[in-house]
Amino acid sequence: MRTLTSIDELDFAATMPAPVMVQRTTDHALLEGTLAGDEDAFAELVSRYRNQITSYIYRMTNDYDGAVDLAQETFLRVYRAASRYQTTHAFSTYIYRIATNLAISELRKRKRRRLVSLTGLLASDDGQEARDFNPPDERPLQDIDLVDAEKRAVVKRAIATLPDKYRAPLVLRDVEGKSYDEIAAILRTSEGTVKSRINRARNFLRDKMRSYI
Amino acid sequence: MNSRECRETRQEIEESKLHQRLSVPAFRHIETCRACQEFQLERTRLRELIGSLEPVAAPGDFDVRLRARIAADRQQSARGSFFNRFVVSTPAIAAAAVMVMLAGAIVWLAQHQKNQQSTIASGAPARTEQAITPSAKRAESTDATSPTVPAATNPGVTLIAEAPRGRNLYRDSSGRSGGDRRPIASATDFNVTGAESIRQGEQQAGEVSLSAPVKPLVVSLEDVSGTKRRISLPPVSFGSQRLVDNRLPVSSTNSRSW
């Protein structure tokens, strides 16, 4: 009689069913389903992109409630214009373009309303060179978490002071991790322009956060 | 420092993903170039800092709120769709055009009538002169445009109304007049002789009646002896005029034929 030395020798693998390959429905297929009246397809689309879009708009506008509102407006526009959607671009490019347009128009509205932000209190007349409202403390801090939290706050404030045309490509590249060609498609501009704007945005941030780098 | 190599290396650092391996020439250049080394370090730290921003999640009720918003949007579009479709449809545009044309035609007609009346009135100024002649003789009118007036039975005074051209003439008892022999309309002074009472008739279409009250006027009189008398005065009509008849001028004189 043969003695089993390991559980593998029971050969369970042969009797186990093969793993089912769950094929993920493409965004285009979901949008077609939405167009055909399938509410679940649209719900799936929303669940895929709601966090990304909310986060992206939040990085652009620095206002959570407003970002949620604009994210919903983004999905509403996708729903309304589902019949006009063309599959020449990726759906993510399409939805990010809508979100970008909404975020930029919101930023312009704010400028018109002349909202006074705390970070912009000490901004110069051209609105581009804002001094830090809360200058960094040069002394070493004890708690590393506090340091990280402060760094993040500074980065947020610094991004918020970027001009609109630099802010969108920088957030898409360094926060959302999009490729240059994707960013160019979202912003409807050339790759060269995108690279140039990202470079300028980084230089701008470097100057503002020199103490933290 | 080779500026071209530095530029190319920095461009590669700038465009590469975070922590991505650089090409061999760039890597070799960084080992030898202190400035590019610092640039790479600085850019890496900066991008790490930016990337350290934690993603923000959508709120839990995101889907519910979105569904409500879509439902509201659908209702709104359903409400507005019929109106929008009607507004941009051809029948609506045609109806609007017809209404505009009708309104324009009404305004034009009203303006045209007003102008015509004012032209006639200004073209024939009204003047009346009175002449008291010793012998009363009825004036005969041969003017076709001036209808004759019923003559008074006992006329003591004859009024000569103007001629259409505006020349008024006295007429003597023989019927001759000073210059212009054009036939003219005549009228009677009812201060001297009583006028016939014309009862108010039914107003016809297109006529405006210039009438007294419909009910007769009742007057009670009591003389010295105490006898009472009641006199009933029937309503008197001053006739009517057709509004559509534009042949005769509308004037302020009393020389019109009613």
Side-chain angles (χ1 to χ4, degrees):
Chain A
M1 187 180 170
R2 198 166 74 93
T3 309
L4 292 173
T5 55
S6 76
I7 197 167
D8 293 336
E9 291 178 35
L10 289 171
D11 201 17
F12 281 156
T15 57
M16 282 174 70
V20 179
M21 293 294 290
V22 179
Q23 199 173 4
R24 195 166 183 257
T25 318
T26 61
D27 293 341
H28 288 164
L30 288 174
L31 204 63
E32 281 172 13
T34 304
L35 197 57
D38 185 1
E39 297 286 337
D40 292 339
F42 186 68
E44 173 64 20
L45 263 182
V46 172
S47 72
R48 279 185 193 179
Y49 286 98
R50 65 183 168 197
N51 289 337
Q52 292 179 48
I53 296 297
T54 306
S55 182
Y56 169 59
I57 297 176
Y58 173 63
R59 293 291 166 228
M60 288 285 289
T61 59
N62 215 14
D63 169 22
Y64 183 73
D65 290 333
V68 172
D69 197 47
L70 289 180
Q72 290 198 339
E73 180 65 28
T74 305
F75 284 108
L76 190 63
R77 291 194 182 188
V78 168
Y79 186 83
R80 272 192 215 142
S83 57
R84 294 199 297 272
Y85 173 68
Q86 293 174 346
T87 54
T88 48
H89 289 296
F91 177 75
S92 65
T93 305
Y94 175 65
I95 196 168
Y96 267 95
R97 185 186 296 164
I98 295 173
T100 305
N101 290 340
L102 285 172
I104 288 176
S105 77
E106 172 64 21
L107 293 173
R108 285 178 185 161
K109 272 185 209 164
R110 282 189 197 173
K111 272 186 192 169
R112 279 200 295 272
R113 283 187 222 132
R114 293 183 180 278
L115 285 179
V116 180
S117 70
L118 290 176
T119 54
L121 277 177
L122 301 174
S124 59
D125 290 340
D126 59 0
Q128 296 200 1
E129 289 292 333
R131 279 177 282 167
D132 276 334
F133 186 64
N134 186 12
D137 190 352
E138 302 291 345
R139 293 170 299 176
L141 290 171
Q142 302 297 317
D143 195 335
I144 193 75
D145 290 340
L146 277 176
V147 176
D148 286 347
E150 187 186 343
K151 277 182 183 175
R152 280 197 294 272
V154 169
V155 172
K156 271 171 64 177
R157 284 204 299 267
I159 290 174
T161 58
L162 279 175
D164 302 345
K165 65 177 181 179
Y166 298 146
R167 198 185 307 184
L170 181 97
V171 172
L172 285 169
R173 177 69 181 170
D174 288 345
V175 180
E176 301 294 319
K178 300 281 180 192
S179 64
Y180 284 109
D181 59 336
E182 247 183 311
I183 298 169
I186 289 169
L187 300 178
R188 282 185 172 165
T189 185
S190 66
E191 272 192 49
T193 306
V194 169
K195 286 173 183 173
S196 160
R197 287 183 180 174
I198 289 174
N199 182 36
R200 288 185 184 194
R202 285 174 181 161
N203 289 339
F204 191 87
L205 290 182
R206 180 200 60 202
D207 294 342
K208 294 193 74 63
M209 301 194 299
R210 197 172 283 280
S211 311
Y212 296 92
I213 297 172
Chain B
M1 186 179 90
N2 187 342
S3 62
R4 193 177 63 85
E5 279 184 22
C6 284
R7 198 171 56 244
E8 286 175 357
T9 305
R10 290 184 183 198
Q11 190 177 352
E12 194 175 330
I13 292 168
E14 189 74 26
E15 294 176 11
S16 66
K17 288 184 178 173
L18 191 61
H19 304 303
Q20 185 185 346
R21 283 181 68 90
L22 297 175
S23 64
V24 176
F27 187 74
R28 281 187 186 155
H29 175 76
I30 286 171
E31 280 184 336
T32 57
C33 180
R34 177 120 181 117
C36 289
Q37 212 174 347
E38 281 181 4
F39 179 81
Q40 189 193 21
L41 193 64
E42 181 193 87
R43 276 294 195 254
T44 306
R45 281 184 187 161
L46 180 69
R47 290 171 73 175
E48 280 174 349
L49 259 178
I50 298 170
S52 70
L53 294 175
E54 290 162 359
V56 175
D61 60 347
F62 187 91
D63 290 11
V64 179
R65 282 163 62 185
L66 181 61
R67 277 175 192 275
R69 216 163 150 172
I70 288 173
D73 183 66
R74 221 184 277 163
Q75 277 183 349
Q76 196 176 1
S77 61
R79 241 182 280 134
S81 62
F82 173 74
F83 180 73
N84 292 341
R85 256 185 276 137
F86 180 73
V87 163
V88 295
S89 64
T90 311
I93 293 169
V98 167
M99 283 179 72
V100 168
M101 285 172 67
L102 273 176
I106 289 168
V107 169
W108 183 82
L109 274 176
Q111 198 69 28
H112 184 69
Q113 272 189 341
K114 195 177 169 185
N115 287 345
Q116 212 171 15
Q117 285 177 0
S118 62
T119 307
I120 292 169
S122 62
R127 282 191 294 158
T128 303
E129 292 179 19
Q130 290 188 350
I132 301 173
T133 56
S135 61
K137 195 171 185 180
R138 279 179 66 178
E140 289 176 5
S141 174
T142 54
D143 192 348
T145 59
S146 303
T148 55
V149 175
T153 52
N154 185 18
V157 178
T158 301
L159 296 178
I160 304 172
E162 62 170 347
R165 294 212 179 142
R167 300 190 63 182
N168 300 326
L169 302 168
Y170 289 99
R171 183 176 288 189
D172 58 18
S173 56
S174 63
R176 290 180 300 172
S177 60
D180 199 335
R181 285 277 178 189
R182 282 177 61 84
I184 50 174
S186 64
T188 307
D189 186 356
F190 293 114
N191 285 327
V192 179
T193 58
E196 281 182 4
S197 170
I198 304 168
R199 286 188 174 274
Q200 184 181 2
E202 286 223 351
Q203 191 174 320
Q204 292 179 1
E207 290 183 348
V208 174
S209 138
L210 307 172
S211 62
V214 181
K215 288 183 178 178
L217 179 68
V218 179
V219 181
S220 289
L221 296 173
E222 190 175 355
D223 58 9
V224 185
S225 59
T227 312
K228 284 186 180 176
R229 290 183 65 192
R230 285 185 65 173
I231 302 169
S232 176
L233 299 173
V236 177
S237 171
F238 294 97
S240 61
Q241 184 182 17
R242 283 189 168 273
L243 289 177
V244 290
D245 188 4
N246 291 323
R247 288 173 303 171
L248 295 175
V250 178
S251 67
S252 58
T253 64
N254 56 0
S255 63
R256 296 297 314 276
S257 300
W258 299 102

